[in-house]
Amino acid sequence: MKILLVGEYSRLHNSLKEGLELVGHQVKIVGTGDDFKKYNVDFSIHPKFCREIWLAKKFKNLVYKLTNIDLEKTEKGLRFYFLLSKLKGFDHIQLINSDALETHPNFEISLYKKLFRNNFTATKSLLVCGDETPVVDYLLKEELEYSILTPFLRDRSLQKSFKFTLKYTQKNYRKLFHWVHENTQSLIVSDLDYKIPMEKMGYAFDFIPNPINSEKFEFHDLEIQDKIVIFLGINRMNYVKKGISYFEKALAIIQEKYADKIELIVCENLPYAEYIKSYNKAHILLDMTYAFDQGYNALEAMAKGKVVFTGASPEFEKQFNLSKKVAINAVPDAVEIAKELSYLIENPQEIIAVGKRARKFIEREHGLNLIAEKYLEIWKNKKDAIA
């Protein structure tokens, strides 16, 4: 098959591409590379003009201030438009989000129509692996114990920090989601933080865990010779949504209690390639709170055998039939996080055991070939159903 993956936010599509290529398929990715993370894409729609040319940046900011029109979005859409002649002959097209092109919603629908016409025999799928209209609609109901929207629901003055999430409730983005949903044959969900809301909102979908290329992440049994190394990577854009302040408060407690037993590494807004290397010496990685399941940062660290504080809820353990911890459930409570850290610091053998289980879990549930075959089976079944 010849497959086009549209959009890249977390390296999910890059990992899926690697898995699909391993089993003999041709795959291309089109996307922005997700800003400072700089993920690999085959066809780039990065808004280079608006981001990197000083005069253009000034003009873009002036236009936005006067008209509320985002010229970065316009540039992304135009770059995709001029790529359309190259995006032909695919057997399957997958969008990583209804807003995979990150342009103006009405323009985006027009571009999708052109792309789909260029590949009229291709089947299409929509992947829900992040913010999406029905997910946000459900989270706003406040029926879960906590979610990425909890800080906003507790303090509406934080609306600016959640503008990228809340945009999916706007009329134009709602229209975009419904158009994409109606014009794709498969709806696929990547983890419990999206599976639960999509179920509650009554959508039919297939659940496929994120693919992880374990061979890219060298595993070594954790060794603790002197101090226990704890790593915190901060993305300022998602600081509030990920509950990073709880980790910072927990670390303050731990530093006071175990100053001679721990070493802290804190980094901020690193490109993906640098970020992955930056925690190599760490034993423990602090990822996020407000989650039931793991995202890509957590999964890749688990593949390296790190002990990751992230979404590892009872619902997650039930989903994967786990009897022992493969990650530490990081609830939005600094005292509870500090207790979990204290236990590990005082019981270093548990750090080594969890790290080993984490790697085995990734290989068992997130392996490239396994996940690639699941995608291919769903796409094939949909194609057969409409043939």
Side-chain angles (χ1 to χ4, degrees), residues 80-95:
F80 185 81
Y81 175 82
F82 289 115
L83 283 172
L84 281 167
S85 62
K86 299 179 182 179
L87 304 179
K88 293 180 179 181
F90 291 96
D91 301 297
H92 187 83
I93 297 170
Q94 176 162 283
L95 309 181

Side-chain angles (χ1 to χ4, degrees), residues 230 245-260 262 264 286 333-343 345-346:
I230 303 171
S245 63
Y246 293 109
F247 288 135
E248 291 175 327
K249 291 171 186 174
L251 288 176
I253 296 170
I254 293 303
Q255 276 184 295
E256 186 173 337
K257 191 175 178 183
Y258 300 105
D260 60 334
I262 64 170
L264 301 182
L286 307 179
D333 184 321
V335 173
E336 286 300 314
I337 292 170
K339 282 182 182 177
E340 293 282 4
L341 284 168
S342 295
Y343 176 78
I345 293 165
E346 292 171 8

Side-chain angles (χ1 to χ4, degrees), residues 222 224 228 283-284 305-309 323-328 340-358:
L222 295 175
I224 302 169
I228 292 168
H283 302 103
I284 296 170
K306 308 302 182 184
V307 176
V308 183
F309 279 63
S323 58
K324 294 183 178 180
K325 291 181 178 179
V326 298
I328 308 302
E340 293 282 4
L341 284 168
S342 295
Y343 176 78
L344 293 172
I345 293 165
E346 292 171 8
N347 298 275
Q349 73 280 358
E350 183 64 10
I351 295 175
I352 295 166
V354 173
K356 288 180 179 179
R357 292 197 295 267

Side-chain angles (χ1 to χ4, degrees), residues 28-232:
K28 298 293 182 183
I29 300 175
V30 57
T32 63
D34 201 18
D35 300 333
F36 69 84
K37 297 174 189 174
K38 298 181 180 177
Y39 296 118
N40 290 332
V41 296
D42 299 290
F43 301 103
S44 177
I45 57 170
H46 173 69
K48 186 175 182 179
F49 187 75
C50 285
R51 285 283 178 89
E52 300 175 18
I53 298 175
W54 181 83
L55 192 58
K57 285 170 67 175
K58 289 291 185 182
F59 180 68
K60 173 198 74 175
N61 293 337
L62 178 62
V63 169
Y64 187 77
K65 185 176 182 180
L66 295 176
T67 67
N68 209 34
I69 294 172
D70 188 339
L71 291 182
E72 268 193 29
K73 290 184 177 182
T74 306
E75 183 179 350
K76 291 172 189 176
L78 288 172
R79 287 186 179 276
F80 185 81
Y81 175 82
F82 289 115
L83 283 172
L84 281 167
S85 62
K86 299 179 182 179
L87 304 179
K88 293 180 179 181
F90 291 96
D91 301 297
H92 187 83
I93 297 170
Q94 176 162 283
L95 309 181
I96 202 164
N97 185 267
S98 60
D99 185 31
L101 302 180
E102 305 172 53
T103 189
H104 310 288
N106 288 331
F107 188 22
E108 198 151 8
I109 291 172
S110 172
L111 292 169
Y112 287 150
K113 286 179 179 178
K114 289 178 175 23
L115 176 66
F116 291 178
R117 278 199 299 268
N118 281 356
N119 300 272
F120 65 94
T121 61
T123 48
K124 293 93 179 175
S125 56
L126 171 62
L127 181 57
V128 177
C129 59
D131 296 337
E132 194 60 272
T133 295
V135 173
V136 178
D137 282 346
Y138 178 70
L139 297 185
L140 287 170
K141 294 175 181 283
E142 298 187 66
E143 293 181 5
L144 293 176
E145 181 182 358
Y146 52 77
S147 75
I148 58 165
L149 279 178
T150 295
F152 167 72
L153 293 168
R154 290 177 179 170
D155 182 359
R156 300 286 172 145
S157 70
L158 293 173
Q159 184 165 355
K160 188 175 180 180
S161 296
F162 288 85
K163 65 179 182 178
F164 292 109
T165 297
L166 295 172
K167 76 179 185 183
Y168 289 94
T169 64
Q170 296 171 9
K171 186 177 179 180
N172 53 354
Y173 282 95
R174 194 176 294 279
K175 176 185 173 183
L176 173 63
F177 169 78
H178 288 301
W179 186 92
V180 171
H181 182 234
E182 289 171 3
N183 287 275
T184 50
Q185 290 77 49
S186 306
L187 185 62
I188 300 170
V189 172
S190 67
D191 73 43
L192 293 182
D193 291 296
Y194 315 113
K195 180 177 184 284
I196 294 169
M198 294 298 284
E199 282 176 339
K200 295 291 187 180
M201 296 300 286
Y203 283 85
F205 57 84
D206 291 286
F207 174 70
I208 307 180
N210 292 306
I212 299 294
N213 189 345
S214 297
E215 292 186 5
K216 281 186 173 287
F217 303 100
E218 192 172 358
F219 171 76
H220 297 286
D221 286 343
L222 295 175
E223 295 181 2
I224 302 169
Q225 297 175 340
D226 184 16
K227 294 186 177 183
I228 292 168
V229 182
I230 303 171
F231 175 88
L232 175 62

